[in-house]
Amino acid sequence: MDFSRFFLIILARHKLILLTLIVTMSTTLLVSLLMSKSYKSTAVMVLTHKGADPVTGLIMSPQQITGYMATQLDIIKSSRTALMVVDQLRLDQNEAVASQHKQSNSSLGMREWLAALLLKNLEIETSRDSSVIRISFKGTDPAFTAVIANAFANAYQEISIRLTVEPSQKAATYFTDQLNVLRDRLETAQKKLTQYQHSHGIVDADFRLDVETKRLNDLASQLVVAQADLIGAESKQEGGNRISEAHSIARNTVINNLKINLSQAESRFSDIAQKLGKNHPSYIGAKAEVDKLRSELSRHISFTDRSAVNQEAEIRKALEEQKIKVLALNRSRDELQILEREVDGAQQAYNSAMQRLNQTSLEGQSNLSSVSILDTAKTPDKPDSPKILLNLTLSAFLGTLLGVGAGLLAEMIDRRVRSAEDLVDVLHAPVLGIIKRGIPKERGLQLVLPRLLR
């Protein structure tokens, strides 16, 4: 079918098409007028999720923005938010609502039934690159729609606060319990450390170890000196008198003084011996003094040699005891360091838990929300639906399509000859001429027009 035939069919069936269009538009207008008016009220919210949190100081990364917005939309549409609206407005205490709930024969409770009913008429709108959310509610009562829209906005703001505060409160409870355990652990470790210090008499292990080590070094030095004296005593026994005396004089002040006095006495005795005879009292007295000093010097040197052996043994014994003491102190210091590390670890864990407890407690007491109400819902002056002009426009388009379809269907059922081409198609014979007698000019123009278009 070419365009000329289609045009001829439209012209022939124009009454049917026009009737279908009129019926469609009339029906649409009638239905629109009979429909109850529906009002729509919108509350505008804005999410201030960008930037640092005023309590924790955390900054949300830009990658979380898309998921964050989708999550917020799901929170608004959740049954918890709707139940909060029901509780805030006390809708379940209305007698009319109670009677409607009984008539509905729903298996849900009244609160859940109301929440589901409110969510059906709730609309959430948001833009892709915007943090603004529009909460709209539709209903037959304009004032009621504004109240419900504002109630959902307030409930969403309260829910956002609770979703932030409740985990922090639970975490604060957990940290409080853990803090008690860590406190007991710290007290136990501190008690063990104190008892160990008291039992071993340790105030400062490092200072005491330094003192005992210094004493050990002093004993080692004394042992070296005593061994040197002992070597001098042994050399005397072997006939090394000069070596023994040299060591004894170097270590004994009395022997040194006796040596000096003996030298002076010998000098005086030598002078007297040159002047006086052996029987002279001065000679005898000087000689007796020299013999006495020599005897005392010899006695002191012998005593010093004997004491060198005993002193070396005593110093060696004291040195061994000091070594044992220093080693024991080293072991005590190592054990003390282990206990101190346990105390430090317990103290560090306790401080960390205390810091986390303070932070979570502060977060749990915060009433700051990332949701702000930009515009509250107003009572609408005009109904949102039905939109008569839009419905009539759509019905005109739909009626035209239905009319054309009805015309084509009627043409298919009752086939008519509309042009010479139809005769050629039906009779398979050529057309010799067309008689236009009796055809008005306007009608003739309508018949010729398809040919010109063709």
Side-chain angles (χ1 to χ4, degrees), residues 240-285:
N241 237 346
R242 294 180 179 178
I243 298 176
S244 175
E245 291 178 1
H247 283 283
S248 298
I249 292 171
R251 296 296 301 166
N252 200 318
T253 305
V254 177
I255 295 176
N256 192 17
N257 293 332
L258 289 175
K259 186 63 178 176
I260 294 173
N261 294 333
L262 179 59
S263 177
Q264 293 176 355
E266 287 179 348
S267 177
R268 290 194 301 270
F269 177 70
S270 178
D271 293 338
I272 292 173
Q274 291 179 2
K275 297 177 180 180
L276 302 175
K278 295 181 180 181
N279 295 324
H280 195 278
S282 298
Y283 179 87
I284 296 172

Side-chain angles (χ1 to χ4, degrees), residues 30-48:
L30 181 61
V31 171
S32 299
L33 293 176
L34 294 177
M35 287 178 60
S36 61
K37 295 181 180 181
S38 177
Y39 295 87
K40 179 180 179 181
S41 185
T42 303
V44 182
M45 314 288 292
V46 60
L47 301 180
T48 57

